[in-house]
Amino acid sequence: MGAINGNTRVVGVMGWPVEHTVSPAMHNAAFQTAGLNWRYLPLPVHPDRVGQGVHGLLALGFAGCNVTVPHKQAVMEHLDDITAEAQAIGAVNTILVQTDGRMIGHNTDATGFLRSLAERGFRPEGTRAVVMGAGGAARAVAYALASVGTSIKILNRTLSRAESLVVDLASLFPTLPLCSLSLTPATLHQEVPLADLLVNTTSLGMWPQVERSAWPEELPLPPSLTVFDLVYNPVETKLMRQAREAGALAMGGLEMLVYQGAAAWELWTGQKAPVEVMVTAAKAAL
Ligand code: ATR
């Protein structure tokens, strides 16, 4: 990597904590490959200082930053504008500091999710999806799928959260078939055989609880299904293994992590991101 000098552009990831992030490895590898004099830094910002953190980007000449847990909502009130997409998802994961000094909030999770599907040849337009979970990640996934006309069933442990996500989506996509259900073996058994795509947005199966899965052991998994587990650590989750063993197509959270990162990288630099390098760097950092 070239030396840091007076022309080095700086971006980073704002979160609390940020010690375990793999984003610096992924983005810096991409800068190096592209021959860009840029650096990506961890930016630990205490929840009491989110506004100062955001304004600090402009003051210190940052090109922008990613935003992660727990600040994806909190940053919104400190920005000059928020894209319609980020507004609809209700969260900002990328800030772009424009050359005119305006700071714009974006959300690249939805495009990252759709790009991951496209790379694997899955065309979600007009298909049926079951989304497990109704938290922040589910909102981005559901918005992405709704925007291309996928009918969606949201299954969540806490039914009221699934209901409120469906109400929000229905106000944006009034003609789309949507429904909410409790996440149970019985509802999965009833709904998943009718679906083309199953997405896990819950934290089940995330390290260190790698032996857990949102898919019940006793239920057969339809081989015609595409299964997308948003969990990226481990790179192959138990759910992905279950899918693979059933003959279904299994996709993992690392793909979405990379494509949401690539979309942010492209917003900042205006260049096409070297995605393969980002995959390798993210895997190595995990
Ligand atoms: P994220 O931003 O990653 O989506 P989140 O907003 O905390 O994180 O959402 C976590 C999701 O995982 C929720 O859908 C949560 O279900 P509840 O709304 O019922 O809390 C789901 N989840 C977490 N642990 C779970 C478990 N043990 N069983 C089922 N669902 C679980």
Side-chain angles (χ1 to χ4, degrees), residues 205-274:
M206 192 183 288
W207 191 86
Q209 296 190 302
V210 297
E211 276 316 309
R212 300 188 76 183
S213 165
W215 187 261
E217 206 74 71
E218 65 279 10
L219 269 191
L221 209 141
S224 58
L225 202 61
T226 293
V227 177
F228 199 146
D229 192 349
L230 258 51
V231 170
Y232 62 83
N233 188 9
V235 172
E236 184 177 80
T237 62
K238 176 164 178 194
L239 172 61
M240 290 168 70
R241 212 158 56 235
Q242 288 171 304
R244 203 166 36 77
E245 284 166 6
L249 176 65
M251 302 184 54
L254 188 84
E255 294 168 65
M256 170 144 167
L257 177 75
V258 167
Y259 282 107
Q260 64 74 32
W265 196 95
E266 289 173 1
L267 270 175
W268 298 321
T269 65
Q271 298 193 18
K272 187 136 183 52

Side-chain angles (χ1 to χ4, degrees), residues 1-217:
M1 205 166 216
I4 293 175
N5 58 28
N7 295 316
T8 304
R9 298 301 318 270
V10 187
V11 289
V13 55
M14 202 181 280
W16 187 267
V18 285
E19 281 87 8
H20 300 293
T21 177
V22 301
S23 292
M26 182 167 86
H27 284 271
N28 285 318
F31 290 141
Q32 182 168 18
T33 298
L36 291 178
N37 184 7
W38 288 57
R39 292 297 188 282
Y40 186 108
L41 307 174
L43 305 170
V45 173
H46 187 274
D48 291 344
R49 288 190 283 272
V50 170
Q52 285 166 281
V54 171
H55 293 294
L57 295 172
L58 177 63
L60 296 170
F62 277 59
C65 76
N66 282 134
V67 183
T68 188
V69 179
H71 301 327
K72 288 185 180 188
Q73 281 90 35
V75 295
M76 294 174 85
E77 64 175 288
H78 304 288
L79 297 167
D80 298 303
D81 206 356
I82 291 167
T83 64
E85 188 172 36
Q87 202 82 256
I89 295 167
V92 161
N93 80 334
T94 304
I95 298 172
L96 174 68
V97 181
Q98 297 185 159
T99 45
D100 63 1
R102 283 166 54 77
M103 291 192 286
I104 315 298
H106 293 255
N107 190 307
T108 65
D109 286 332
T111 38
F113 179 74
L114 292 177
R115 246 175 100 172
S116 306
L117 289 177
E119 287 298 318
R120 293 291 207 102
F122 184 92
R123 301 172 66 87
E125 296 81 1
T127 63
R128 291 161 298 182
V130 168
V131 176
M132 301 186 284
R139 276 186 183 265
V141 164
Y143 175 84
L145 291 171
S147 69
V148 295
T150 308
S151 67
I152 308 165
K153 300 198 170 174
I154 310 280
L155 276 56
N156 196 46
R157 177 178 62 181
T158 310
L159 179 59
S160 59
R161 273 185 106 186
E163 287 168 345
S164 94
L165 174 48
V166 163
V167 167
D168 292 350
L169 278 176
S171 70
L172 294 166
F173 305 95
T175 60
L176 198 67
L178 299 165
C179 93
S180 50
L181 292 161
S182 293
L183 176 58
T184 67
T187 54
L188 286 170
H189 181 59
Q190 172 191 311
E191 299 301 335
V192 172
L194 307 171
D196 306 291
L197 176 67
L198 174 69
V199 187
N200 175 49
T201 73
T202 77
S203 45
L204 286 164
M206 192 183 288
W207 191 86
Q209 296 190 302
V210 297
E211 276 316 309
R212 300 188 76 183
S213 165
W215 187 261
E217 206 74 71

